[in-house]
mmCIF file of all heavy atoms in Angstrom:
data_model
loop_
_atom_site.group_PDB
_atom_site.id
_atom_site.type_symbol
_atom_site.label_atom_id
_atom_site.label_comp_id
_atom_site.label_asym_id
_atom_site.label_seq_id
_atom_site.Cartn_x
_atom_site.Cartn_y
_atom_site.Cartn_z
ATOM 1 N N LEU G 1 -46.062 47.479 -68.092
ATOM 2 C CA LEU G 1 -46.713 46.207 -68.627
ATOM 3 C C LEU G 1 -47.275 46.429 -70.007
ATOM 4 O O LEU G 1 -47.620 47.670 -70.342
ATOM 5 C CB LEU G 1 -47.809 45.810 -67.613
ATOM 6 C CG LEU G 1 -47.378 45.467 -66.238
ATOM 7 C CD1 LEU G 1 -48.610 45.146 -65.375
ATOM 8 C CD2 LEU G 1 -46.472 44.215 -66.298
ATOM 9 N N PRO G 2 -47.461 45.452 -70.801
ATOM 10 C CA PRO G 2 -47.866 45.599 -72.183
ATOM 11 C C PRO G 2 -49.207 46.314 -72.271
ATOM 12 O O PRO G 2 -49.487 47.086 -73.165
ATOM 13 C CB PRO G 2 -47.975 44.137 -72.787
ATOM 14 C CG PRO G 2 -46.969 43.450 -71.956
ATOM 15 C CD PRO G 2 -47.032 44.024 -70.511
ATOM 16 N N TRP G 3 -50.129 45.994 -71.387
ATOM 17 C CA TRP G 3 -51.492 46.603 -71.446
ATOM 18 C C TRP G 3 -51.440 48.118 -71.340
ATOM 19 O O TRP G 3 -52.384 48.810 -71.821
ATOM 20 C CB TRP G 3 -52.420 46.066 -70.552
ATOM 21 C CG TRP G 3 -52.111 46.324 -69.013
ATOM 22 C CD1 TRP G 3 -51.447 45.478 -68.130
ATOM 23 C CD2 TRP G 3 -52.446 47.411 -68.231
ATOM 24 N NE1 TRP G 3 -51.314 46.054 -67.002
ATOM 25 C CE2 TRP G 3 -51.993 47.275 -66.950
ATOM 26 C CE3 TRP G 3 -53.194 48.639 -68.524
ATOM 27 C CZ2 TRP G 3 -52.143 48.191 -65.864
ATOM 28 C CZ3 TRP G 3 -53.344 49.475 -67.464
ATOM 29 C CH2 TRP G 3 -52.773 49.296 -66.206
ATOM 30 N N MET G 4 -50.410 48.591 -70.840
ATOM 31 C CA MET G 4 -50.298 50.101 -70.542
ATOM 32 C C MET G 4 -49.243 50.749 -71.294
ATOM 33 O O MET G 4 -49.310 51.969 -71.706
ATOM 34 C CB MET G 4 -50.032 50.324 -69.042
ATOM 35 C CG MET G 4 -50.090 51.732 -68.533
ATOM 36 S SD MET G 4 -51.803 52.323 -68.532
ATOM 37 C CE MET G 4 -51.582 53.605 -67.410
ATOM 38 N N ALA G 5 -48.165 49.982 -71.636
ATOM 39 C CA ALA G 5 -46.977 50.607 -72.120
ATOM 40 C C ALA G 5 -46.928 50.912 -73.546
ATOM 41 O O ALA G 5 -45.989 51.690 -73.999
ATOM 42 C CB ALA G 5 -45.758 49.776 -71.719
ATOM 43 N N SER G 6 -47.687 50.298 -74.331
ATOM 44 C CA SER G 6 -47.532 50.498 -75.855
ATOM 45 C C SER G 6 -48.733 50.174 -76.671
ATOM 46 O O SER G 6 -49.702 49.607 -76.160
ATOM 47 C CB SER G 6 -46.380 49.753 -76.306
ATOM 48 O OG SER G 6 -46.461 48.375 -75.823
ATOM 49 N N LEU G 7 -48.660 50.594 -77.934
ATOM 50 C CA LEU G 7 -49.662 50.382 -78.868
ATOM 51 C C LEU G 7 -49.135 49.736 -80.061
ATOM 52 O O LEU G 7 -48.038 49.868 -80.413
ATOM 53 C CB LEU G 7 -50.315 51.710 -79.324
ATOM 54 C CG LEU G 7 -50.856 52.575 -78.123
ATOM 55 C CD1 LEU G 7 -51.173 53.914 -78.716
ATOM 56 C CD2 LEU G 7 -52.121 51.977 -77.542
ATOM 57 N N ALA G 8 -49.870 48.912 -80.727
ATOM 58 C CA ALA G 8 -49.500 48.244 -81.925
ATOM 59 C C ALA G 8 -49.349 49.233 -83.069
ATOM 60 O O ALA G 8 -49.980 50.248 -83.067
ATOM 61 C CB ALA G 8 -50.403 47.145 -82.375
ATOM 62 N N PRO G 9 -48.401 49.038 -83.992
ATOM 63 C CA PRO G 9 -48.338 50.025 -85.025
ATOM 64 C C PRO G 9 -49.473 49.832 -86.091
ATOM 65 O O PRO G 9 -50.184 48.906 -86.143
ATOM 66 C CB PRO G 9 -47.022 49.452 -85.810
ATOM 67 C CG PRO G 9 -46.986 48.018 -85.500
ATOM 68 C CD PRO G 9 -47.500 47.849 -84.069
ATOM 69 N N ARG G 10 -49.546 50.896 -86.834
ATOM 70 C CA ARG G 10 -50.616 50.887 -87.875
ATOM 71 C C ARG G 10 -50.215 50.004 -88.998
ATOM 72 O O ARG G 10 -49.185 50.426 -89.807
ATOM 73 C CB ARG G 10 -50.823 52.407 -88.314
ATOM 74 C CG ARG G 10 -51.458 53.229 -87.274
ATOM 75 C CD ARG G 10 -51.391 54.669 -87.620
ATOM 76 N NE ARG G 10 -50.065 55.222 -87.812
ATOM 77 C CZ ARG G 10 -49.576 55.878 -88.767
ATOM 78 N NH1 ARG G 10 -50.277 56.099 -89.794
ATOM 79 N NH2 ARG G 10 -48.248 56.238 -88.807
ATOM 80 N N VAL G 11 -50.781 48.915 -89.200
ATOM 81 C CA VAL G 11 -50.399 47.992 -90.258
ATOM 82 C C VAL G 11 -51.515 47.815 -91.183
ATOM 83 O O VAL G 11 -52.602 47.473 -90.810
ATOM 84 C CB VAL G 11 -50.006 46.603 -89.639
ATOM 85 C CG1 VAL G 11 -49.569 45.675 -90.748
ATOM 86 C CG2 VAL G 11 -48.879 46.872 -88.724
ATOM 87 N N ALA G 12 -51.371 48.152 -92.427
ATOM 88 C CA ALA G 12 -52.325 47.978 -93.472
ATOM 89 C C ALA G 12 -52.538 46.595 -93.864
ATOM 90 O O ALA G 12 -51.665 45.701 -93.826
ATOM 91 C CB ALA G 12 -51.974 48.845 -94.666
ATOM 92 N N GLN G 13 -53.708 46.163 -94.223
ATOM 93 C CA GLN G 13 -54.085 44.854 -94.685
ATOM 94 C C GLN G 13 -53.569 44.599 -96.145
ATOM 95 O O GLN G 13 -53.310 43.553 -96.486
ATOM 96 C CB GLN G 13 -55.591 44.546 -94.573
ATOM 97 C CG GLN G 13 -56.125 44.648 -93.215
ATOM 98 C CD GLN G 13 -55.444 43.658 -92.299
ATOM 99 O OE1 GLN G 13 -55.331 42.553 -92.726
ATOM 100 N NE2 GLN G 13 -55.087 44.111 -91.108
ATOM 101 N N ALA G 14 -53.494 45.665 -96.915
ATOM 102 C CA ALA G 14 -53.019 45.637 -98.249
ATOM 103 C C ALA G 14 -51.727 46.359 -98.331
ATOM 104 O O ALA G 14 -51.123 46.691 -97.337
ATOM 105 C CB ALA G 14 -54.062 46.254 -99.183
ATOM 106 N N ALA G 15 -51.229 46.464 -99.570
ATOM 107 C CA ALA G 15 -49.905 47.097 -99.729
ATOM 108 C C ALA G 15 -49.923 48.601 -99.197
ATOM 109 O O ALA G 15 -50.997 49.184 -99.287
ATOM 110 C CB ALA G 15 -49.545 47.065 -101.203
ATOM 111 N N GLY G 16 -48.811 49.097 -98.785
ATOM 112 C CA GLY G 16 -48.760 50.458 -98.275
ATOM 113 C C GLY G 16 -49.138 51.355 -99.365
ATOM 114 O O GLY G 16 -48.884 51.177 -100.608
ATOM 115 N N THR G 17 -49.626 52.502 -99.073
ATOM 116 C CA THR G 17 -50.109 53.552 -99.934
ATOM 117 C C THR G 17 -49.277 54.822 -99.716
ATOM 118 O O THR G 17 -48.808 54.984 -98.555
ATOM 119 C CB THR G 17 -51.589 53.814 -99.859
ATOM 120 O OG1 THR G 17 -51.912 54.252 -98.485
ATOM 121 C CG2 THR G 17 -52.407 52.547 -100.180
ATOM 122 N N GLY G 18 -49.275 55.679 -100.646
ATOM 123 C CA GLY G 18 -48.703 57.077 -100.467
ATOM 124 C C GLY G 18 -47.137 56.856 -100.512
ATOM 125 O O GLY G 18 -46.584 55.817 -100.797
ATOM 126 N N LYS G 19 -46.483 57.971 -100.369
ATOM 127 C CA LYS G 19 -45.003 58.021 -100.451
ATOM 128 C C LYS G 19 -44.281 57.685 -99.122
ATOM 129 O O LYS G 19 -44.753 58.243 -98.147
ATOM 130 C CB LYS G 19 -44.558 59.458 -100.894
ATOM 131 C CG LYS G 19 -43.010 59.579 -101.115
ATOM 132 C CD LYS G 19 -42.695 61.000 -101.558
ATOM 133 C CE LYS G 19 -41.197 61.163 -101.738
ATOM 134 N NZ LYS G 19 -40.807 62.556 -102.036
ATOM 135 N N PRO G 20 -43.385 56.764 -99.030
ATOM 136 C CA PRO G 20 -42.719 56.418 -97.891
ATOM 137 C C PRO G 20 -42.095 57.590 -97.096
ATOM 138 O O PRO G 20 -41.494 58.479 -97.794
ATOM 139 C CB PRO G 20 -41.655 55.436 -98.283
ATOM 140 C CG PRO G 20 -42.084 54.877 -99.532
ATOM 141 C CD PRO G 20 -42.825 56.015 -100.294
ATOM 142 N N PRO G 21 -42.198 57.714 -95.812
ATOM 143 C CA PRO G 21 -41.638 58.873 -95.109
ATOM 144 C C PRO G 21 -40.098 58.717 -94.952
ATOM 145 O O PRO G 21 -39.618 57.618 -95.110
ATOM 146 C CB PRO G 21 -42.323 58.785 -93.764
ATOM 147 C CG PRO G 21 -42.610 57.342 -93.573
ATOM 148 C CD PRO G 21 -42.898 56.747 -95.004
ATOM 149 N N VAL G 22 -39.483 59.794 -94.648
ATOM 150 C CA VAL G 22 -38.066 59.652 -94.317
ATOM 151 C C VAL G 22 -37.967 59.499 -92.837
ATOM 152 O O VAL G 22 -38.570 60.155 -92.024
ATOM 153 C CB VAL G 22 -37.327 60.972 -94.800
ATOM 154 C CG1 VAL G 22 -35.903 61.033 -94.380
ATOM 155 C CG2 VAL G 22 -37.531 61.198 -96.284
ATOM 156 N N ARG G 23 -36.963 58.652 -92.491
ATOM 157 C CA ARG G 23 -36.704 58.463 -91.083
ATOM 158 C C ARG G 23 -35.174 58.793 -90.732
ATOM 159 O O ARG G 23 -34.375 58.707 -91.598
ATOM 160 C CB ARG G 23 -36.848 56.949 -90.643
ATOM 161 C CG ARG G 23 -38.193 56.380 -90.804
ATOM 162 C CD ARG G 23 -38.612 55.983 -92.145
ATOM 163 N NE ARG G 23 -39.653 54.905 -92.200
ATOM 164 C CZ ARG G 23 -40.052 54.355 -93.269
ATOM 165 N NH1 ARG G 23 -39.558 54.705 -94.365
ATOM 166 N NH2 ARG G 23 -40.896 53.359 -93.196
ATOM 167 N N SER G 24 -34.920 59.164 -89.503
ATOM 168 C CA SER G 24 -33.622 59.557 -89.077
ATOM 169 C C SER G 24 -33.252 58.863 -87.796
ATOM 170 O O SER G 24 -34.037 58.769 -86.817
ATOM 171 C CB SER G 24 -33.485 61.040 -88.885
ATOM 172 O OG SER G 24 -33.558 61.727 -90.140
ATOM 173 N N ALA G 25 -32.068 58.296 -87.833
ATOM 174 C CA ALA G 25 -31.410 57.737 -86.572
ATOM 175 C C ALA G 25 -30.067 58.283 -86.266
ATOM 176 O O ALA G 25 -29.392 58.486 -87.284
ATOM 177 C CB ALA G 25 -31.430 56.197 -86.670
ATOM 178 N N PHE G 26 -29.784 58.439 -85.036
ATOM 179 C CA PHE G 26 -28.506 59.024 -84.635
ATOM 180 C C PHE G 26 -27.835 57.981 -83.698
ATOM 181 O O PHE G 26 -28.291 57.839 -82.534
ATOM 182 C CB PHE G 26 -28.654 60.276 -83.904
ATOM 183 C CG PHE G 26 -29.335 61.438 -84.833
ATOM 184 C CD1 PHE G 26 -30.732 61.502 -84.930
ATOM 185 C CD2 PHE G 26 -28.578 62.298 -85.576
ATOM 186 C CE1 PHE G 26 -31.343 62.456 -85.701
ATOM 187 C CE2 PHE G 26 -29.205 63.227 -86.426
ATOM 188 C CZ PHE G 26 -30.561 63.294 -86.539
ATOM 189 N N LEU G 27 -26.735 57.385 -84.164
ATOM 190 C CA LEU G 27 -26.104 56.317 -83.390
ATOM 191 C C LEU G 27 -24.761 56.895 -82.934
ATOM 192 O O LEU G 27 -23.963 57.417 -83.713
ATOM 193 C CB LEU G 27 -25.813 55.120 -84.251
ATOM 194 C CG LEU G 27 -27.023 54.606 -85.126
ATOM 195 C CD1 LEU G 27 -26.612 53.390 -85.954
ATOM 196 C CD2 LEU G 27 -28.167 54.390 -84.281
ATOM 197 N N TYR G 28 -24.540 56.759 -81.608
ATOM 198 C CA TYR G 28 -23.384 57.349 -81.003
ATOM 199 C C TYR G 28 -22.449 56.316 -80.431
ATOM 200 O O TYR G 28 -22.968 55.369 -79.696
ATOM 201 C CB TYR G 28 -23.837 58.363 -79.899
ATOM 202 C CG TYR G 28 -22.694 58.725 -78.853
ATOM 203 C CD1 TYR G 28 -21.815 59.823 -79.260
ATOM 204 C CD2 TYR G 28 -22.504 57.989 -77.700
ATOM 205 C CE1 TYR G 28 -20.827 60.023 -78.284
ATOM 206 C CE2 TYR G 28 -21.499 58.283 -76.858
ATOM 207 C CZ TYR G 28 -20.617 59.407 -77.143
ATOM 208 O OH TYR G 28 -19.638 59.765 -76.262
ATOM 209 N N PHE G 29 -21.244 56.365 -80.554
ATOM 210 C CA PHE G 29 -20.209 55.541 -79.828
ATOM 211 C C PHE G 29 -19.251 56.423 -79.196
ATOM 212 O O PHE G 29 -18.873 57.502 -79.691
ATOM 213 C CB PHE G 29 -19.564 54.527 -80.820
ATOM 214 C CG PHE G 29 -18.680 55.128 -81.921
ATOM 215 C CD1 PHE G 29 -17.267 55.346 -81.739
ATOM 216 C CD2 PHE G 29 -19.272 55.492 -83.167
ATOM 217 C CE1 PHE G 29 -16.569 55.842 -82.688
ATOM 218 C CE2 PHE G 29 -18.417 56.067 -84.105
ATOM 219 C CZ PHE G 29 -17.166 56.292 -83.907
ATOM 220 N N PRO G 30 -18.714 56.096 -77.978
ATOM 221 C CA PRO G 30 -17.858 57.035 -77.243
ATOM 222 C C PRO G 30 -16.436 56.871 -77.686
ATOM 223 O O PRO G 30 -15.947 55.951 -78.423
ATOM 224 C CB PRO G 30 -18.014 56.485 -75.788
ATOM 225 C CG PRO G 30 -18.347 55.077 -75.926
ATOM 226 C CD PRO G 30 -19.044 54.877 -77.230
ATOM 227 N N ASN G 31 -15.614 57.716 -77.131
ATOM 228 C CA ASN G 31 -14.108 57.655 -77.031
ATOM 229 C C ASN G 31 -13.421 57.848 -78.416
ATOM 230 O O ASN G 31 -12.263 57.585 -78.572
ATOM 231 C CB ASN G 31 -13.628 56.291 -76.510
ATOM 232 C CG ASN G 31 -14.269 56.148 -75.072
ATOM 233 O OD1 ASN G 31 -14.436 57.090 -74.356
ATOM 234 N ND2 ASN G 31 -14.627 54.944 -74.755
ATOM 235 N N GLY G 32 -14.059 58.395 -79.386
ATOM 236 C CA GLY G 32 -13.388 58.682 -80.662
ATOM 237 C C GLY G 32 -12.821 57.513 -81.519
ATOM 238 O O GLY G 32 -13.130 56.473 -81.298
#
């Protein structure tokens, strides 16, 4: 349930500060 399962992201009220982080995603499809 929402009250237990998750938290809201950290969202700034003003523009983001600092250097954006690098993100990585790995997407897999089967069978070549």
Side-chain angles (χ1 to χ4, degrees):
L1 296 176
W3 64 265
M4 189 70 158
S6 50
L7 304 171
R10 294 169 292 133
V11 180
Q13 297 299 315
T17 58
K19 182 180 179 181
V22 177
R23 293 82 151 186
S24 290
F26 300 86
L27 314 181
Y28 164 86
F29 63 93
N31 302 325

